[in-house]
């Protein structure tokens, strides 16, 4: 192990990522020390870089970026029995208090004391080495790659959203937004038994990628004609031959949320995944009188085991989501690619391990 090399991608302020050497931590009794292999760039990482904040989470001190992570155990704490050096693991990046009502009620994603990677004030994992609680590390089968392990993080968002939506065999599912999160929801919905999935987006190349991943219909947002949300919903309804049983909104755009409500059947479910403006106008009376349930999600809870099972069994193939690969030393170029969507970028992956 190159014990003195802990190169890390540190966000110092808006538009300022510096590559710095940081001290290699010592794991506590219940932690493992990980040699990071792969880290995917998430939209939140890019947003912190370009804006310095997401809602109430404000970057006030230098922060290591990254939270979609896999790596190799290189040392274990004295009380760790579930893992050993050499084990390959996926890392669940949020660590709750384990003591509050939310944690004890199996909804630890809502824990008020949550420590989540690369969410101020907590450091992330875009680094060579870091320590993490062993019970939030999941051993990867030999046939599951490090990159697939890193993608369990966004895939877990899809698992949580589809669980909240109640997606099951025979459902027609509408997904609004064909970015990385929309696409993992497409994969998850199909794996959970959805018979038909329609996906929408403003970008034709992303819709083409969605078709390749199994979307039954795609509907492109018309940016030339000033189309109303009801008109767009009508186009969706025509495309799928009726209203959707379940809609998963991944864009966060006000007009898309409005269309999502109109396109969901009476008695159906709309899950809000995408986060946009803090306040949006929605046709609440339409939703209320048709008993369209509107549900939010926040990250995920107890989803990594199922996400790993879906990948390991071959039920879900996340590999096509990766469009670009960079080394840790190329972090700035990687972030610029993710920010601009250059060359139809979907998921940008950074390899932190040294050959």
């Amino acid at each position: 192990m190159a014990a003195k090399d802990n190169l890390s991608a540190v966000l110092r302020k808006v538009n300022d990522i510096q590559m710095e050497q940081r001290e290699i931590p010592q794991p506590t009794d219940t932690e493992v020390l990980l040699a990071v292999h792969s880290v995917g760039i998430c939209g939140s990482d890019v947003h912190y870089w370009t804006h310095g904040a997401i809602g109430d989470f404000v970057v006030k001190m230098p922060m290591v970026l990254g939270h979609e992570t896999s790596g190799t155990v290189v040392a274990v704490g004295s009380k760790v029995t579930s893992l050993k050096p050499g084990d390959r693991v996926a890392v669940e990046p949020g660590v709750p208090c384990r003591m509050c009502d939310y944690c004890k009620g199996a909804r630890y994603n809502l824990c008020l004391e949550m420590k989540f990677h690369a969410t101020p004030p907590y450091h992330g994992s875009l680094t060579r080495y870091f320590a993490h609680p062993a019970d939030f590390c999941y051993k990867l089968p030999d046939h599951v790659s490090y990159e697939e392990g890193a993608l369990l993080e966004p895939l877990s968002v899809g698992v949580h959203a589809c669980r909240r939506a109640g997606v099951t065999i025979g459902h027609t599912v509408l997904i609004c937004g064909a970015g990385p999160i929309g696409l993992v929801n497409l994969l998850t919905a199909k794996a959970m038994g959805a018979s038909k999935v329609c996906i929408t987006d403003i970008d034709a190349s992303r819709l083409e990628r969605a078709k390749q991943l199994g979307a039954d219909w795609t509907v492109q947002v018309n940016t030339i004609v000033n189309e109303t949300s009801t008109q767009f919903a009508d186009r969706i309804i025509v495309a799928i031959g009726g209203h959707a049983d379940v809609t998963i909104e991944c864009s966060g755009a006000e007009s898309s949320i409005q269309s999502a409500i109109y396109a969901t059947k009476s008695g159906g479910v709309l899950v809000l995944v995408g986060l946009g403006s803090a306040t949006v106008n929605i046709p609440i009376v339409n939703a209320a009188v048709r008993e369209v349930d509107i549900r939010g999600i926040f990250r995920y809870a107890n989803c990594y085991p199922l996400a790993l099972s879906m990948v390991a069994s071959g039920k879900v193939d996340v590999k096509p989501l990766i469009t670009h690969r960079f080394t840790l030393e190329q972090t700035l170029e990687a972030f610029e690619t993710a920010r601009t969507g250059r060359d139809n970028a979907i998921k940008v992956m950074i390899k932190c391990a040294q050959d």
Side-chain angles (χ1 to χ4, degrees):
M1 181 172 91
K4 293 184 179 180
D5 182 5
N6 195 26
L7 187 66
S8 308
V10 180
L11 177 64
R12 301 196 68 84
K13 60 183 179 180
V14 173
N15 295 323
D16 183 10
I17 296 175
Q18 299 289 329
M19 303 307 297
E20 301 177 3
Q21 286 289 345
R22 298 177 65 86
E23 183 177 351
I24 296 176
Q26 293 296 313
T28 67
D29 288 347
T30 57
E31 291 181 333
V32 295
L33 179 64
L34 297 170
V36 179
H37 188 283
S38 297
V39 178
I41 297 179
C42 174
S44 65
D45 295 313
V46 175
H47 198 85
Y48 280 124
W49 174 45
T50 57
H51 293 79
I54 297 178
D56 294 332
F57 298 105
V58 180
V59 178
K60 298 178 181 179
M61 299 173 62
M63 178 183 76
V64 178
L65 293 162
H67 63 266
E68 300 178 2
T69 314
S70 66
T72 305
V73 176
V74 295
V76 301
S78 62
K79 295 181 180 179
V80 175
T81 59
S82 58
L83 296 169
K84 64 184 185 303
D87 284 344
R88 301 161 58 254
V89 298
V91 178
E92 183 170 351
V95 181
C97 76
R98 301 178 175 86
M99 300 296 290
C100 68
D101 289 343
Y102 294 118
C103 289
K104 292 181 177 180
R107 302 188 73 176
Y108 62 82
N109 58 314
L110 304 179
C111 174
L112 299 179
E113 302 299 323
M114 174 68 75
K115 298 177 180 178
F116 198 91
H117 285 180
T119 298
Y122 305 108
H123 290 299
S125 52
L126 195 47
T127 181
R128 297 265 196 240
Y129 299 97
F130 77 100
H132 196 68
D135 57 324
F136 281 89
C137 296
Y138 299 84
K139 188 174 179 179
L140 297 175
D142 291 342
H143 67 284
V144 176
S145 70
Y146 284 109
E147 290 186 337
E148 290 172 298
L151 288 176
L152 294 186
E153 200 281 334
L155 183 59
S156 290
V157 176
V159 170
H160 190 49
C162 286
R163 280 176 166 174
R164 290 275 288 158
V167 174
T168 191
I169 294 172
H171 271 167
T172 295
V173 177
L174 168 64
I175 298 172
C176 302
I181 294 299
L183 294 177
V184 294
N185 272 281
L186 163 63
L187 295 172
T188 304
K190 284 283 189 174
M192 288 186 171
S195 60
K196 299 290 184 180
V197 177
C198 176
I199 193 164
T200 69
D201 202 90
I202 198 169
D203 188 290
S205 66
R206 290 195 166 190
L207 292 177
E208 185 59 36
R209 180 63 61 94
K211 288 180 183 177
Q212 296 168 2
L213 291 173
D216 297 282
W217 305 283
T218 62
V219 182
Q220 187 173 6
V221 177
N222 193 331
T223 58
I224 299 175
V225 177
N226 188 21
E227 190 174 41
T228 66
S229 57
T230 53
Q231 289 171 333
F232 185 54
D234 288 341
R235 281 207 290 131
I236 295 169
I237 293 166
V238 169
I240 65 179
H243 289 72
D245 298 298
V246 166
T247 299
I248 301 174
E249 210 298 311
C250 300
S251 75
E254 180 177 279
S255 60
S256 182
I257 298 171
Q258 293 170 352
S259 296
I261 291 174
Y262 292 129
T264 304
K265 76 173 187 179
S266 299
V269 177
L270 166 61
V271 173
L272 302 178
V273 180
L275 300 177
S277 300
T279 302
V280 297
N281 294 307
I282 62 171
I284 193 64
V285 172
N286 180 281
V289 300
R290 295 194 303 112
E291 296 190 0
V292 174
D293 290 352
I294 300 175
R295 302 173 185 172
I297 74 159
F298 185 57
R299 296 171 181 155
Y300 39 76
N302 304 301
C303 292
Y304 259 67
L306 179 55
L308 177 55
S309 177
M310 291 194 302
V311 171
S313 67
K315 191 73 173 178
V316 167
D317 183 6
V318 292
K319 294 188 293 293
L321 297 175
I322 304 171
T323 54
H324 295 74
R325 294 175 172 87
F326 296 89
T327 64
L328 181 59
E329 291 84 353
Q330 296 172 312
T331 291
L332 287 175
E333 184 181 355
F335 267 74
E336 188 64 21
T337 300
R339 182 186 69 82
T340 61
R342 186 173 65 203
D343 300 325
N344 298 324
I346 297 293
K347 178 56 65 176
V348 177
M349 191 68 64
I350 296 176
K351 182 181 177 181
C352 297
Q354 296 172 298
D355 294 324

